[in-house]
Coordinates of all heavy atoms in Angstrom, one line a residue:
M1232 N 94.7 81.4 114.7 CA 95.5 82.5 114.2 C 95.1 83.7 115.1 O 93.9 83.9 115.4 CB 95.2 82.7 112.8 CG 95.9 83.9 112.1 SD 95.7 83.9 110.3 CE 94.0 84.3 110.1
R1233 N 96.1 84.5 115.5 CA 95.8 85.7 116.3 C 96.0 86.9 115.4 O 97.0 87.1 114.7 CB 96.8 85.8 117.5 CG 96.6 84.6 118.4 CD 97.7 84.4 119.3 NE 98.2 85.5 120.0 CZ 98.2 85.7 121.3 NH1 97.7 84.8 122.1 NH2 98.7 86.8 121.8
I1234 N 95.0 87.8 115.5 CA 95.0 89.0 114.6 C 94.7 90.3 115.4 O 94.1 90.2 116.5 CB 94.0 88.9 113.4 CG1 92.6 88.9 113.9 CG2 94.4 87.8 112.5 CD1 91.6 89.0 112.8
F1235 N 95.0 91.4 114.9 CA 94.6 92.7 115.4 C 93.9 93.4 114.3 O 94.4 93.5 113.1 CB 95.8 93.6 115.9 CG 95.3 95.0 116.3 CD1 94.7 95.1 117.5 CD2 95.5 96.0 115.5 CE1 94.3 96.4 118.0 CE2 95.0 97.3 115.9 CZ 94.5 97.5 117.1
S1236 N 92.7 93.9 114.5 CA 91.9 94.6 113.5 C 91.7 96.1 113.8 O 91.3 96.4 114.9 CB 90.6 93.9 113.4 OG 89.8 94.5 112.4
K1237 N 92.1 96.9 112.9 CA 91.9 98.4 113.1 C 90.4 98.8 112.9 O 90.0 99.8 113.4 CB 92.7 99.2 112.1 CG 94.2 99.0 112.4 CD 95.0 99.8 111.4 CE 96.5 99.6 111.7 NZ 97.3 100.4 110.7
K1238 N 89.7 98.0 112.1 CA 88.2 98.2 111.9 C 87.5 96.9 112.1 O 88.0 95.9 112.2 CB 88.0 98.7 110.4 CG 88.7 100.0 110.1 CD 88.4 100.4 108.7 CE 89.0 101.7 108.3 NZ 88.7 102.1 106.9
A1239 N 86.2 97.1 112.3 CA 85.3 95.9 112.4 C 85.1 95.2 111.1 O 84.9 95.9 110.1 CB 83.9 96.3 113.0
F1240 N 85.2 93.9 111.1 CA 85.1 93.1 109.8 C 84.3 91.8 110.1 O 84.3 91.3 111.2 CB 86.5 92.7 109.3 CG 87.3 93.8 108.7 CD1 88.4 94.3 109.4 CD2 87.0 94.3 107.5 CE1 89.1 95.3 108.9 CE2 87.7 95.4 106.9 CZ 88.8 95.9 107.6
Q1241 N 83.7 91.3 109.0 CA 83.1 90.0 109.1 C 83.8 89.2 108.0 O 83.8 89.6 106.8 CB 81.6 90.1 108.7 CG 81.0 88.7 108.6 CD 79.5 88.8 108.4 OE1 78.8 89.6 109.0 NE2 79.0 87.9 107.5
F1242 N 84.3 88.1 108.4 CA 85.0 87.2 107.5 C 84.2 86.0 107.3 O 83.8 85.2 108.2 CB 86.4 86.7 108.2 CG 87.3 87.9 108.5 CD1 87.6 88.2 109.8 CD2 87.9 88.7 107.5 CE1 88.4 89.2 110.1 CE2 88.7 89.7 107.8 CZ 89.0 90.0 109.1
D1243 N 83.8 85.8 106.0 CA 83.0 84.6 105.6 C 83.9 83.5 105.2 O 84.9 83.7 104.5 CB 82.0 85.0 104.5 CG 81.0 86.1 104.9 OD1 80.5 86.0 106.1 OD2 80.8 87.1 104.2
H1244 N 83.5 82.3 105.5 CA 84.2 81.1 105.1 C 84.2 81.0 103.6 O 83.2 81.2 103.0 CB 83.5 79.8 105.7 CG 84.4 78.6 105.5 ND1 84.4 77.9 104.4 CD2 85.2 78.0 106.4 CE1 85.2 76.9 104.5 NE2 85.8 76.9 105.7
P1245 N 85.4 80.8 103.0 CA 85.5 80.8 101.5 C 84.5 79.8 100.9 O 84.0 80.0 99.8 CB 87.0 80.3 101.3 CG 87.7 80.7 102.5 CD 86.7 80.6 103.7
A1246 N 84.3 78.6 101.5 CA 83.3 77.7 100.9 C 82.0 77.7 101.6 O 81.1 76.9 101.2 CB 84.0 76.3 101.0
G1247 N 81.8 78.6 102.5 CA 80.5 78.7 103.2 C 80.2 77.5 104.1 O 79.0 77.3 104.5
Q1248 N 81.2 76.8 104.6 CA 81.0 75.6 105.4 C 80.9 75.9 106.9 O 80.5 75.1 107.7 CB 82.1 74.6 105.1 CG 82.1 74.1 103.7 CD 83.3 73.2 103.4 OE1 84.2 73.2 104.2 NE2 83.2 72.5 102.3
E1249 N 81.4 77.1 107.3 CA 81.4 77.5 108.7 C 80.7 78.8 108.9 O 80.7 79.6 107.9 CB 82.8 77.5 109.3 CG 83.4 76.1 109.2 CD 84.6 75.9 110.2 OE1 84.6 76.6 111.2 OE2 85.4 75.0 109.9
P1250 N 80.3 79.1 110.1 CA 79.7 80.5 110.3 C 80.7 81.6 110.2 O 81.9 81.4 110.4 CB 79.2 80.4 111.8 CG 79.3 79.0 112.2 CD 80.2 78.3 111.2
A1251 N 80.3 82.7 109.8 CA 81.1 83.9 109.7 C 81.8 84.3 111.0 O 81.2 84.0 112.1 CB 80.4 85.1 109.1
V1252 N 82.9 84.9 110.9 CA 83.6 85.3 112.1 C 83.6 86.9 112.1 O 84.0 87.5 111.1 CB 85.1 84.8 112.1 CG1 85.9 85.4 113.3 CG2 85.1 83.3 112.2
V1253 N 83.2 87.5 113.2 CA 83.2 89.0 113.3 C 84.2 89.4 114.3 O 84.4 88.9 115.3 CB 81.8 89.5 113.7 CG1 81.8 91.0 113.9 CG2 80.7 89.0 112.7
V1254 N 85.0 90.4 113.9 CA 86.0 91.0 114.8 C 85.7 92.5 115.0 O 85.1 93.1 114.1 CB 87.5 90.8 114.2 CG1 87.9 89.4 114.2 CG2 87.6 91.5 112.9
R1255 N 85.9 93.0 116.2 CA 85.6 94.4 116.5 C 86.8 95.3 116.1 O 87.9 94.9 116.0 CB 85.4 94.5 118.0 CG 84.2 93.7 118.4 CD 83.9 93.9 119.9 NE 85.0 93.5 120.7 CZ 85.0 93.5 122.0 NH1 84.0 93.8 122.7 NH2 86.1 93.2 122.7
S1256 N 86.5 96.5 116.0 CA 87.4 97.6 115.7 C 88.4 97.8 116.8 O 88.0 97.7 118.0 CB 86.7 98.9 115.4 OG 87.6 99.9 115.2
Q1257 N 89.7 97.9 116.5 CA 90.7 98.2 117.5 C 90.8 97.1 118.6 O 90.9 97.3 119.8 CB 90.5 99.6 118.2 CG 90.6 100.7 117.3 CD 91.9 100.9 116.6 OE1 92.9 100.7 117.2 NE2 91.9 101.3 115.3
D1258 N 90.7 95.8 118.1 CA 90.7 94.7 119.0 C 91.5 93.5 118.5 O 91.7 93.4 117.3 CB 89.2 94.2 119.2 CG 89.0 93.5 120.5 OD1 89.9 93.4 121.3 OD2 87.9 92.9 120.6
F1259 N 92.0 92.8 119.5 CA 92.7 91.5 119.2 C 91.7 90.4 119.2 O 90.8 90.4 120.0 CB 93.8 91.3 120.3 CG 94.9 92.3 120.3 CD1 94.8 93.4 121.0 CD2 96.0 92.1 119.5 CE1 95.9 94.4 121.0 CE2 97.1 93.0 119.5 CZ 97.0 94.1 120.2
A1260 N 92.0 89.4 118.3 CA 91.1 88.3 118.3 C 91.8 87.0 117.8 O 92.8 87.1 117.1 CB 89.9 88.6 117.3
I1261 N 91.3 85.9 118.3 CA 91.8 84.6 117.9 C 90.7 84.1 116.9 O 89.6 84.0 117.3 CB 92.0 83.6 119.0 CG1 93.1 84.2 120.0 CG2 92.4 82.2 118.5 CD1 93.3 83.4 121.2
V1262 N 91.2 83.8 115.7 CA 90.2 83.4 114.6 C 90.7 82.1 114.0 O 91.9 81.7 114.1 CB 90.1 84.5 113.5 CG1 89.5 85.8 114.1 CG2 91.4 84.7 112.9
P1263 N 89.8 81.3 113.4 CA 90.1 80.1 112.8 C 91.1 80.3 111.6 O 91.1 81.4 111.0 CB 88.8 79.5 112.2 CG 87.7 80.3 112.9 CD 88.3 81.6 113.3
D1264 N 91.9 79.4 111.3 CA 92.9 79.5 110.2 C 92.3 79.8 108.9 O 92.9 80.5 108.0 CB 93.8 78.3 110.1 CG 94.8 78.1 111.3 OD1 95.1 79.2 112.0 OD2 95.2 77.0 111.6
W1265 N 91.1 79.3 108.6 CA 90.5 79.5 107.3 C 90.2 81.0 107.1 O 90.1 81.4 105.9 CB 89.2 78.8 107.2 CG 88.1 79.1 108.1 CD1 87.7 78.3 109.2 CD2 87.2 80.2 108.1 NE1 86.6 78.9 109.8 CE2 86.3 80.1 109.2 CE3 87.0 81.3 107.3 CZ2 85.3 81.0 109.5 CZ3 86.0 82.2 107.5 CH2 85.2 82.1 108.6
V1266 N 90.2 81.9 108.1 CA 89.9 83.3 107.9 C 91.0 83.9 107.0 O 90.6 84.8 106.2 CB 89.9 84.0 109.3 CG1 89.9 85.5 109.1 CG2 88.6 83.6 110.1
E1267 N 92.2 83.4 107.1 CA 93.3 83.9 106.2 C 93.0 83.8 104.7 O 93.5 84.5 103.9 CB 94.5 83.2 106.6 CG 95.8 83.7 106.0 CD 97.0 83.1 106.5 OE1 97.0 82.0 107.1 OE2 98.1 83.7 106.3
H1268 N 92.1 82.8 104.4 CA 91.8 82.6 103.0 C 90.5 83.3 102.5 O 90.1 83.1 101.3 CB 91.7 81.0 102.7 CG 92.9 80.3 103.2 ND1 94.1 80.4 102.4 CD2 93.2 79.5 104.2 CE1 95.0 79.7 103.1 NE2 94.5 79.1 104.1
S1269 N 89.8 84.0 103.4 CA 88.6 84.7 103.0 C 88.9 85.9 102.2 O 90.0 86.5 102.4 CB 87.8 85.0 104.3 OG 88.4 86.1 105.0
A1270 N 88.0 86.3 101.3 CA 88.2 87.5 100.5 C 88.4 88.7 101.3 O 89.2 89.6 101.0 CB 87.1 87.6 99.5
M1271 N 87.5 88.9 102.3 CA 87.6 90.1 103.2 C 88.9 90.2 103.9 O 89.5 91.3 104.0 CB 86.4 90.1 104.2 CG 86.4 91.4 105.0 SD 86.3 92.9 104.1 CE 84.6 92.8 103.6
F1272 N 89.4 89.1 104.4 CA 90.7 89.2 105.1 C 91.8 89.6 104.1 O 92.7 90.4 104.5 CB 91.1 87.8 105.7 CG 92.4 87.8 106.5 CD1 92.4 88.2 107.8 CD2 93.6 87.5 105.8 CE1 93.6 88.3 108.5 CE2 94.8 87.5 106.5 CZ 94.8 87.9 107.8
K1273 N 91.8 89.0 102.9 CA 92.8 89.4 101.9 C 92.8 90.9 101.6 O 93.8 91.6 101.5 CB 92.7 88.6 100.6 CG 93.0 87.1 100.8 CD 92.7 86.3 99.6 CE 93.0 84.8 99.8 NZ 92.7 84.0 98.7
L1274 N 91.6 91.4 101.4 CA 91.5 92.9 101.2 C 91.9 93.7 102.4 O 92.6 94.7 102.2 CB 90.0 93.2 100.8 CG 89.5 92.7 99.5 CD1 88.0 92.9 99.4 CD2 90.2 93.3 98.3
A1275 N 91.4 93.3 103.6 CA 91.8 94.1 104.8 C 93.3 94.0 105.1 O 93.9 95.0 105.5 CB 91.0 93.6 105.9
S1276 N 93.8 92.9 104.8 CA 95.3 92.7 105.1 C 96.1 93.6 104.1 O 97.1 94.2 104.5 CB 95.6 91.2 104.9 OG 97.0 91.0 105.2
A1277 N 95.7 93.6 102.8 CA 96.4 94.4 101.8 C 96.3 95.8 102.1 O 97.2 96.6 101.8 CB 95.8 94.1 100.4
A1278 N 95.2 96.3 102.7 CA 95.0 97.7 103.1 C 95.6 98.0 104.4 O 95.6 99.2 104.8 CB 93.5 98.0 103.1
G1279 N 96.2 97.1 105.1 CA 96.8 97.3 106.4 C 95.9 97.5 107.5 O 96.2 98.0 108.6
E1280 N 94.7 97.0 107.4 CA 93.6 97.1 108.4 C 93.6 96.0 109.4 O 93.0 96.0 110.4 CB 92.2 97.3 107.8 CG 92.1 98.5 106.9 CD 92.2 99.8 107.7 OE1 92.0 99.9 108.9 OE2 92.6 100.9 107.1
V1281 N 94.3 94.9 109.0 CA 94.4 93.7 109.8 C 95.8 93.2 109.9 O 96.5 93.2 108.8 CB 93.5 92.5 109.2 CG1 93.6 91.3 110.0 CG2 92.0 92.9 109.2
S1282 N 96.3 92.9 111.1 CA 97.6 92.4 111.2 C 97.6 91.0 111.9 O 96.9 90.8 112.9 CB 98.4 93.3 112.1 OG 98.5 94.6 111.6
V1283 N 98.4 90.1 111.4 CA 98.6 88.8 112.0 C 99.8 88.8 112.9 O 100.8 89.4 112.5 CB 98.7 87.7 111.0 CG1 98.9 86.3 111.6 CG2 97.5 87.7 110.0
F1284 N 99.7 88.3 114.1 CA 100.9 88.2 115.0 C 101.0 86.8 115.6 O 100.0 86.1 115.8 CB 100.9 89.3 116.0 CG 99.7 89.3 116.9 CD1 99.7 88.7 118.2 CD2 98.5 89.9 116.5 CE1 98.6 88.6 119.0 CE2 97.4 89.8 117.4 CZ 97.4 89.2 118.6
E1285 N 102.2 86.4 116.0 CA 102.4 85.1 116.5 C 103.0 85.1 117.9 O 102.9 84.2 118.7 CB 103.3 84.3 115.6 CG 102.6 84.0 114.2 CD 103.5 83.2 113.3 OE1 104.5 82.6 113.8 OE2 103.2 83.2 112.1
T1286 N 103.7 86.2 118.3 CA 104.4 86.3 119.6 C 103.8 87.4 120.4 O 103.2 88.4 119.9 CB 105.9 86.5 119.4 OG1 106.1 87.8 118.8 CG2 106.5 85.4 118.5
K1287 N 104.1 87.4 121.7 CA 103.6 88.5 122.6 C 104.3 89.8 122.2 O 103.8 90.9 122.4 CB 103.9 88.1 124.1 CG 102.9 87.2 124.6 CD 101.6 87.8 124.8 CE 100.6 86.9 125.4 NZ 99.2 87.5 125.5
Q1288 N 105.6 89.7 121.8 CA 106.3 90.9 121.4 C 105.6 91.6 120.2 O 105.5 92.8 120.2 CB 107.8 90.5 121.0 CG 108.7 90.3 122.2 CD 110.1 90.0 121.7 OE1 110.3 89.3 120.7 NE2 111.1 90.5 122.4
E1289 N 105.2 90.8 119.2 CA 104.5 91.4 118.1 C 103.2 92.0 118.5 O 102.8 93.1 118.1 CB 104.2 90.3 117.0 CG 105.4 89.8 116.3 CD 105.1 88.7 115.3 OE1 104.2 87.9 115.6 OE2 105.9 88.6 114.3
E1290 N 102.5 91.3 119.5 CA 101.2 91.8 120.0 C 101.4 93.2 120.7 O 100.7 94.1 120.5 CB 100.6 90.8 120.9 CG 99.3 91.2 121.5 CD 98.6 90.2 122.4 OE1 99.1 89.0 122.4 OE2 97.7 90.5 123.1
K1291 N 102.5 93.3 121.5 CA 102.7 94.5 122.2 C 103.1 95.6 121.2 O 102.7 96.8 121.4 CB 103.9 94.3 123.2 CG 103.4 93.5 124.4 CD 104.5 93.3 125.4 CE 104.0 92.4 126.6 NZ 105.1 92.2 127.6
A1292 N 103.9 95.3 120.2 CA 104.2 96.3 119.2 C 103.0 96.8 118.5 O 102.8 98.0 118.3 CB 105.3 95.7 118.2
I1293 N 102.1 95.9 118.1 CA 100.9 96.3 117.4 C 100.0 97.2 118.3 O 99.5 98.2 117.9 CB 100.1 95.1 116.9 CG1 100.9 94.4 115.8 CG2 98.7 95.4 116.4 CD1 100.4 93.0 115.4
E1294 N 99.9 96.7 119.6 CA 99.1 97.5 120.5 C 99.7 98.9 120.8 O 98.9 99.9 120.8 CB 99.0 96.7 121.8 CG 98.1 97.3 122.8 CD 97.9 96.4 124.1 OE1 98.7 95.5 124.3 OE2 96.9 96.7 124.8
A1295 N 101.0 99.0 120.8 CA 101.6 100.3 121.0 C 101.4 101.2 119.8 O 101.1 102.4 120.0 CB 103.1 100.1 121.2
D1296 N 101.4 100.7 118.6 CA 101.2 101.5 117.4 C 99.7 101.9 117.4 O 99.4 103.1 117.1 CB 101.5 100.7 116.1 CG 102.9 100.5 115.9 OD1 103.7 101.3 116.5 OD2 103.3 99.6 115.1
A1297 N 98.8 101.0 117.8 CA 97.4 101.4 117.8 C 97.1 102.5 118.8 O 96.4 103.4 118.6 CB 96.5 100.2 118.1
T1298 N 97.7 102.3 120.0 CA 97.5 103.3 121.1 C 98.1 104.7 120.6 O 97.5 105.7 120.8 CB 98.2 102.9 122.4 OG1 97.6 101.6 122.7 CG2 97.9 103.8 123.5
K1299 N 99.3 104.6 120.0 CA 99.9 105.9 119.6 C 99.1 106.5 118.5 O 98.9 107.8 118.5 CB 101.3 105.5 119.1 CG 102.1 106.8 118.7 CD 103.6 106.5 118.3 CE 103.8 105.4 117.3 NZ 105.1 105.2 116.9
G1300 N 98.5 105.8 117.6 CA 97.7 106.3 116.6 C 96.5 107.0 117.1 O 96.1 108.1 116.7
R1301 N 95.8 106.4 118.2 CA 94.6 107.0 118.8 C 95.0 108.3 119.4 O 94.3 109.3 119.3 CB 94.0 106.1 119.8 CG 93.2 105.0 119.1 CD 92.5 104.1 120.1 NE 93.3 102.9 120.2 CZ 93.1 102.0 121.1 NH1 92.3 102.2 122.1 NH2 93.9 100.9 121.1
G1302 N 96.1 108.4 120.2 CA 96.5 109.6 120.8 C 96.9 110.7 119.8 O 96.5 111.9 120.0
R1303 N 97.5 110.3 118.7 CA 97.8 111.3 117.7 C 96.6 111.9 117.1 O 96.5 113.1 116.9 CB 98.7 110.6 116.6 CG 99.3 111.6 115.7 CD 100.2 111.0 114.7 NE 100.9 109.8 115.1 CZ 100.9 108.6 114.6 NH1 100.2 108.4 113.5 NH2 101.6 107.6 115.0
N1304 N 95.5 111.1 116.9 CA 94.3 111.7 116.3 C 93.6 112.7 117.3 O 93.1 113.7 116.9 CB 93.3 110.5 116.0 CG 93.8 109.7 114.8 OD1 94.6 110.2 114.0 ND2 93.3 108.5 114.7
K1305 N 93.6 112.4 118.6 CA 93.0 113.3 119.5 C 93.8 114.6 119.6 O 93.2 115.6 119.6 CB 93.0 112.6 120.9 CG 92.0 111.5 121.1 CD 92.0 111.0 122.5 CE 91.0 109.8 122.6 NZ 91.0 109.2 123.9
K1306 N 95.1 114.5 119.5 CA 95.9 115.7 119.5 C 95.6 116.6 118.3 O 95.4 117.8 118.4 CB 97.4 115.4 119.6 CG 98.3 116.6 119.7 CD 99.7 116.2 119.8 CE 100.6 117.4 119.8 NZ 102.0 117.0 119.8
N1307 N 95.5 115.9 117.1 CA 95.2 116.7 115.9 C 93.9 117.3 115.9 O 93.6 118.4 115.5 CB 95.4 115.7 114.7 CG 96.8 115.4 114.4 OD1 97.7 116.1 114.9 ND2 97.0 114.4 113.6
D1308 N 92.9 116.5 116.5 CA 91.5 117.1 116.6 C 91.5 118.3 117.5 O 90.9 119.3 117.2 CB 90.6 116.0 117.2 CG 90.3 114.9 116.2 OD1 90.6 115.1 115.0 OD2 89.8 113.8 116.6
N1309 N 92.2 118.2 118.6 CA 92.3 119.4 119.5 C 92.9 120.6 118.9 O 92.5 121.7 119.0 CB 93.0 119.0 120.8 CG 92.2 118.1 121.7 OD1 90.9 118.1 121.6 ND2 92.8 117.4 122.6
E1310 N 94.0 120.3 118.1 CA 94.7 121.4 117.4 C 93.8 122.0 116.4 O 93.8 123.2 116.2 CB 96.0 120.9 116.8 CG 97.1 120.6 117.8 CD 98.3 120.0 117.2 OE1 98.3 119.8 115.9 OE2 99.2 119.7 117.9
D1311 N 93.0 121.2 115.7 CA 92.1 121.7 114.7 C 91.0 122.6 115.3 O 90.7 123.6 114.8 CB 91.4 120.6 113.9 CG 92.4 119.8 113.0 OD1 93.5 120.4 112.7 OD2 92.1 118.7 112.6
K1312 N 90.5 122.1 116.4 CA 89.4 122.9 117.1 C 90.0 124.2 117.6 O 89.4 125.2 117.5 CB 88.9 122.1 118.3 CG 88.0 120.9 117.9 CD 87.5 120.2 119.1 CE 86.8 118.9 118.7 NZ 86.4 118.1 119.8
K1313 N 91.2 124.2 118.1 CA 91.9 125.4 118.6 C 92.1 126.4 117.4 O 91.8 127.5 117.5 CB 93.2 125.0 119.2 CG 93.9 126.2 120.0 CD 95.1 125.7 120.7 CE 95.8 126.8 121.4 NZ 97.0 126.3 122.1
A1314 N 92.6 125.9 116.3 CA 92.8 126.7 115.1 C 91.5 127.3 114.6 O 91.4 128.5 114.3 CB 93.5 125.9 114.0
D1315 N 90.4 126.5 114.6 CA 89.1 127.0 114.2 C 88.6 128.1 115.2 O 88.1 129.1 114.7 CB 88.0 125.9 114.2 CG 88.2 124.9 113.1 OD1 89.0 125.3 112.1 OD2 87.7 123.8 113.1
G1316 N 88.8 127.9 116.4 CA 88.4 128.9 117.4 C 89.2 130.2 117.2 O 88.6 131.3 117.3
E1317 N 90.5 130.1 116.9 CA 91.3 131.3 116.7 C 90.8 132.1 115.4 O 90.7 133.3 115.4 CB 92.8 131.0 116.6 CG 93.4 130.5 117.9 CD 94.8 130.0 117.8 OE1 95.3 129.9 116.6 OE2 95.3 129.6 118.8
E1318 N 90.5 131.3 114.4 CA 90.0 131.9 113.2 C 88.7 132.6 113.4 O 88.5 133.8 113.0 CB 89.9 130.9 112.1 CG 91.2 130.3 111.5 CD 91.0 129.2 110.6 OE1 89.8 128.9 110.2 OE2 92.0 128.5 110.3
N1319 N 87.8 132.0 114.1 CA 86.5 132.6 114.4 C 86.7 133.9 115.2 O 86.0 134.8 115.0 CB 85.6 131.6 115.1 CG 85.1 130.5 114.2 OD1 85.2 130.6 113.0 ND2 84.7 129.4 114.8
H1320 N 87.6 133.8 116.2 CA 87.8 135.0 117.0 C 88.4 136.2 116.2 O 88.0 137.3 116.3 CB 88.8 134.7 118.2 CG 89.2 135.8 119.0 ND1 88.3 136.4 119.8 CD2 90.3 136.5 119.1 CE1 88.9 137.5 120.4 NE2 90.1 137.5 120.0
Q1321 N 89.3 135.8 115.3 CA 89.9 136.9 114.4 C 88.8 137.5 113.5 O 88.7 138.7 113.3 CB 91.0 136.3 113.6 CG 92.2 136.0 114.4 CD 93.3 135.2 113.6 OE1 93.0 134.8 112.5 NE2 94.4 135.1 114.2
E1322 N 87.9 136.6 113.0 CA 86.8 137.1 112.1 C 85.9 138.0 112.9 O 85.5 139.1 112.5 CB 86.0 135.9 111.6 CG 86.8 135.2 110.5 CD 86.1 133.9 110.1 OE1 84.9 133.8 110.5 OE2 86.7 133.1 109.4
T1323 N 85.6 137.7 114.2 CA 84.7 138.5 115.0 C 85.4 139.8 115.3 O 84.7 140.9 115.2 CB 84.4 137.7 116.3 OG1 83.8 136.5 116.0 CG2 83.5 138.5 117.2
T1324 N 86.7 139.8 115.6 CA 87.4 141.0 115.9 C 87.4 141.9 114.7 O 87.1 143.1 114.8 CB 88.9 140.7 116.3 OG1 88.8 139.8 117.4 CG2 89.6 142.0 116.7
T1325 N 87.6 141.4 113.5 CA 87.6 142.2 112.3 C 86.2 142.8 112.1 O 86.1 144.0 111.7 CB 88.0 141.3 111.1 OG1 89.2 140.7 111.3 CG2 88.0 142.1 109.8
T1326 N 85.2 142.0 112.3 CA 83.8 142.5 112.1 C 83.5 143.6 113.1 O 82.9 144.6 112.7 CB 82.8 141.3 112.3 OG1 83.2 140.3 111.4 CG2 81.4 141.8 112.0
D1327 N 83.9 143.5 114.3 CA 83.7 144.5 115.3 C 84.4 145.8 115.0 O 83.8 146.9 115.1 CB 84.2 144.0 116.7 CG 83.3 142.9 117.3 OD1 82.2 142.7 116.7 OD2 83.7 142.3 118.2
S1328 N 85.6 145.7 114.5 CA 86.4 146.9 114.2 C 85.8 147.6 112.9 O 85.8 148.8 112.8 CB 87.9 146.6 114.0 OG 88.1 145.7 112.9
E1329 N 85.3 146.8 112.0 CA 84.7 147.4 110.8 C 83.4 148.1 111.2 O 83.0 149.1 110.6 CB 84.4 146.3 109.8 CG 85.6 145.7 109.1 CD 85.3 144.5 108.2 OE1 84.1 144.1 108.2 OE2 86.2 144.0 107.6
A1330 N 82.7 147.6 112.2 CA 81.4 148.2 112.6 C 81.7 149.5 113.2 O 80.8 150.4 113.2 CB 80.7 147.2 113.6
Q1331 N 82.8 149.8 113.9 CA 83.1 151.0 114.5 C 83.5 152.0 113.5 O 83.4 153.0 113.1 CB 84.2 150.9 115.5 CG 83.8 150.0 116.7 CD 85.0 149.8 117.6 OE1 86.1 150.2 117.4 NE2 84.7 149.1 118.7

């Protein structure tokens, strides 16, 4: 089974008969079919943190969404920093004018 994981997870075999499978954050992985029946996979899948794909088209779509999401976060972080800097500058200006 091929999956994409937005976060790092450890999937334990439901009956404890095989070693756990660990997947990395923001990574594609080929995992045994039993992973689909593990409790962690069910929770992660329901939360939208893990996606199963079967074709290259699905893989490319998932990868595009993941890349777009990362770019969006960086942009928002930069906008937040910029807004914080403007607020601090305004506060400093107000403080300077009050001092005069």
